[in-house]
Amino acid sequence: TGLVYRSIQGTTRLVGSGIDALLGRLNPLLDQEPAASSGKREALLAALNGVLGDHLAASGNPLAIPMQLRRNGHPLDLTSKGLAAGIPAPGGKILLLVHGLCMNDLQWRRNGYDGCDGYDHGEALAAAGGYTALYLHYNSGEHVSRNGHAFADMLETLVQVWPVPVEQLVIVGHSMGGLLAHSACHYGKLAGHGWLKHLRQMVFLGTPHHGAPLERGGNWVTVILEFSPYTAALARLAKIRSAGITDLRHGSILDEDWRHGDRFAHAKSKKGTMTLPQGVQCFAIGVTLSKEGSDPKKPLLGDGLVPLQSALGRQKDGTGNPYFPDSQQWIGYGMNHMDLLDNAKVYEQLRKWLC
C-alpha cells in the first residue's frame, strides 16, 4: 500500500505542478504548416483544449485555440477584402455552425474526416437554402460566457465587413455550441450590437439547456473522494477538467453563474434565468438511444451525453418548457449525441425548418 499511495501522490503532484512541462511535449504539433494540418492533429488539439483550454489560455500556451471563423479548416480574415478573397461568391444569407465541447469545425464532416470528404450539414443546407456556410472554431475549455462575449463581438465585426448586404443570419449549434450561441445573444444585446437584427433562426442540436449529468457525476466523484485522506489525492485528478466542462453541469452561460464561488463545489444550481432572443425562431432537436415506439410509460433515454428533457429545454419532469413550442421541437430515435452531426433524418428536419 505504501508504494501505491506514493505513486498516487507523485502522479497528482505532477499533474498539479508539472502540467506545462508535459504540454511542452505536444508543441512539435505546431511545427506543421497549417496547410499540412491533418484531421487527427486538429482533433487532438480540440480535445486538449476542451479538457485544459482555460489553463492553456491563462498560461499563454501556444496550444490554446484562438476563436476564428473558418471554411474548410482555413481561417477567414474578417475584413471586406479578406472575406471576398476567402469566400467565392458570398451571398446575403449566412449560416453559421458552432461545434461542441472537445471538437472542432472540421468535425461537422464526421465521415471522411481526414480527406475532407463526406457529408456536412452546412454544405447541404447551403445548397438547399442558398446560404453561405461559415464555421466557428474556438477553445471549448474556456467558460461558455467568456466565449459568448468574444463570439458576440466577432459577429458584430462579421456583419459590418460582409462583402454584400446581410439579409439574414442563421446559427446552428451542436451541444455546447448551442449554449455559446445563446450566451452571445445575451451579451450582444447588452452591448447594443447590430448583428442581432439580422438573426432570424437558431437551431440547438443536443444542447444541454438544463445541464448534463455526466459533469455532475464527475463532480460527485470529486466530493466523495475528498471525504477520505486516503483518496483525496485521487480527487485532484478529477479537478483537472476545464471551466467549459464544469459549465455543462447546469448549462451555465452567464458570467454570474461562475464568477463567485468554487466551480468544483457541489451545490444547487445558481444559474441565472435566461430567455431566448425575441424575434428569433428557435428550434430544438433532441435524440434518444431509445427506439421509436418504446413503452410510453417509461422515460426516454438521452443520447448518451445529454438527457432528452435537457436538450428540449424542459424541466426534469418534462413540464415547464420556457423555450420551444411543440412545433419547434423534434425528437430523433435510435441515435446518439454524435449522430446529430450527420444523420439524414436530422438533416431533413433542419431542411424543413431552415429552407
Side-chain angles (χ1 to χ4, degrees):
T1 56
L3 175 61
V4 170
Y5 284 116
R6 284 195 299 273
S7 299
I8 292 172
Q9 291 164 355
T11 300
T12 53
R13 279 197 298 271
L14 181 63
V15 169
S17 62
I19 197 165
D20 289 312
L22 293 173
L23 290 171
R25 299 182 183 182
L26 294 175
N27 283 330
L29 285 170
L30 298 178
D31 293 338
Q32 301 178 46
E33 293 296 327
S37 177
S38 70
K40 291 180 180 179
R41 173 184 182 273
E42 293 274 3
L44 174 59
L45 287 175
L48 182 65
N49 276 257
V51 176
L52 292 169
D54 52 343
H55 174 77
L56 296 177
S59 60
N61 193 296
L63 293 170
I65 292 174
M67 183 175 285
Q68 297 174 325
L69 288 177
R70 307 208 301 183
R71 278 172 64 90
N72 299 319
H74 298 287
L76 294 171
D77 176 14
L78 290 189
T79 64
S80 296
K81 290 183 178 179
L83 290 175
I87 305 174
K93 297 170 64 177
I94 302 172
L95 172 67
L96 216 162
L97 293 93
V98 187
H99 65 75
L101 176 72
C102 291
M103 301 188 72
N104 64 71
D105 54 304
L106 294 178
Q107 286 167 302
W108 285 99
R109 194 187 305 273
R110 188 160 66 109
N111 294 316
Y113 180 64
D114 277 327
C116 289
D117 295 322
Y119 169 79
D120 176 355
H121 281 329
E123 286 188 359
L125 290 169
Y131 294 102
T132 299
L134 307 178
Y135 302 80
L136 186 69
H137 186 45
Y138 67 98
N139 178 350
S140 60
E142 290 268 41
H143 276 295
V144 171
S145 62
R146 288 190 186 278
N147 280 325
H149 283 284
F151 188 30
D153 292 340
M154 180 173 284
L155 286 171
E156 183 70 357
T157 300
L158 177 68
V159 298
Q160 291 175 357
V161 300
W162 193 247
V164 299
V166 177
E167 300 171 23
Q168 67 181 78
L169 172 65
V170 174
I171 299 176
V172 176
H174 176 243
S175 197
M176 175 187 279
L179 296 179
L180 171 53
H182 193 179
S183 179
C185 289
H186 173 76
Y187 290 113
K189 181 179 179 180
L190 289 183
H193 286 169
W195 63 267
L196 283 166
K197 68 182 181 182
H198 300 291
L199 183 63
R200 298 289 185 269
Q201 295 167 308
M202 295 174 68
V203 184
F204 300 87
L205 303 178
T207 294
H209 297 284
H210 295 300
L214 285 185
E215 201 296 319
R216 290 196 289 271
N219 187 51
W220 271 108
V221 170
T222 302
V223 173
I224 292 169
L225 291 176
E226 285 181 334
F227 275 123
S228 168
Y230 300 106
T231 58
L234 291 174
R236 294 180 63 188
L237 295 176
K239 287 191 174 184
I240 294 174
R241 63 191 190 278
S242 67
I245 293 176
T246 55
D247 280 347
L248 294 180
R249 186 181 311 158
H250 300 296
S252 301
I253 63 175
L254 302 177
D255 292 336
E256 301 91 291
D257 294 338
W258 57 266
R259 183 169 282 164
H260 306 291
D262 178 4
R263 64 188 177 91
F264 293 105
H266 180 72
K268 291 184 178 180
S269 171
K270 296 182 180 179
K271 176 183 172 183
T273 302
M274 284 286 294
T275 58
L276 292 169
Q278 293 183 348
V280 179
Q281 277 190 309
C282 294
F283 305 92
I285 290 181
V287 298
T288 171
L289 298 172
S290 302
K291 300 297 183 182
E292 193 165 7
S294 299
D295 187 347
K297 296 181 180 180
K298 295 181 179 179
L300 291 175
L301 298 171
D303 59 19
L305 290 176
V306 176
L308 183 61
Q309 303 294 1
S310 183
L312 298 177
R314 300 173 181 170
Q315 302 297 334
K316 291 182 179 179
D317 59 2
T319 63
N321 180 1
Y323 288 160
F324 310 100
D326 289 343
S327 62
Q328 292 169 206
Q329 302 176 44
W330 184 80
I331 299 174
Y333 294 88
M335 302 182 207
N336 63 44
H337 193 68
M338 302 307 292
D339 289 332
L340 287 160
L341 294 171
D342 60 5
N343 183 274
K345 292 182 179 179
V346 173
Y347 165 70
E348 189 58 30
Q349 190 60 44
L350 289 172
R351 188 188 63 79
K352 289 179 181 178
W353 283 336
L354 303 180
C355 303

